[in-house]
């Protein structure tokens, strides 16, 4: 059964974040994952995160184990350190669930 996450981000460098997504997406797809939804958000009206959220997405994997393998993949970890960690100031997992 597919495993999904709803994630909210505070992206502070849009160009670098776009490069992150371009580089990590082939790895995500090879792992059987995909983005189901992806939104740029103008403002946060209510939230529990300690930061604003300007990007929200739903990411799907074949199952939870696939998600864990993807995020542990050394190629992904390198891309994340180089591009995500320097372009995103805040991250909130809004929900995780099996569909």
């Amino acid at each position: 059964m597919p495993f999904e996450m709803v994630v909210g981000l505070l992206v502070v460098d849009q160009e670098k974040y776009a490069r992150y997504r371009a580089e990590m997406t082939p790895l995500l797809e090879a792992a059987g994952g995909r983005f189901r939804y992806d939104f740029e958000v103008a403002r946060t009206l209510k939230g529990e995160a300690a930061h604003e959220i300007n990007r929200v997405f739903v990411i799907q994997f074949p199952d939870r184990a696939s998600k864990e393998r993807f995020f542990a993949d050394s190629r992904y970890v390198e891309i994340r350190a180089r591009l995500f960690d320097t372009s995103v100031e805040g991250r909130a997992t809004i929900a995780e669930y099996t569909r």
Side-chain angles (χ1 to χ4, degrees):
M1 297 173 82
F3 180 80
E4 296 183 348
M5 300 170 60
V6 180
V7 179
L9 304 176
L10 176 57
V11 178
V12 294
D13 186 331
Q14 297 292 338
E15 181 180 312
K16 195 177 277 190
Y17 182 74
R19 289 196 338 253
Y20 159 76
R21 290 287 289 263
E23 289 190 33
M24 64 78 77
T25 297
L27 296 176
L28 175 65
E29 291 172 351
R34 67 187 182 112
F35 289 99
R36 289 191 59 227
Y37 295 92
D38 191 8
F39 306 98
E40 289 184 353
V41 181
R43 68 185 175 143
T44 304
L45 299 176
K46 181 172 176 55
E48 296 179 1
H51 53 79
E52 291 290 316
I53 291 174
N54 60 9
R55 187 80 176 241
V56 176
F57 59 87
V58 176
I59 188 170
Q60 181 184 76
F61 296 91
D63 51 42
R64 184 183 290 266
S66 297
K67 172 217 143 194
E68 292 169 2
R69 281 192 303 276
F70 170 76
F71 285 116
D73 184 308
S74 62
R75 297 167 299 171
Y76 171 77
V77 171
E78 185 277 323
I79 294 167
R80 181 181 173 113
R82 183 169 40 86
L83 297 169
F84 181 93
D85 292 345
T86 57
S87 65
V88 174
E89 195 171 285
R91 180 185 180 283
T93 300
I94 297 169
E96 293 184 324
Y97 52 89
T98 300
R99 281 190 64 191

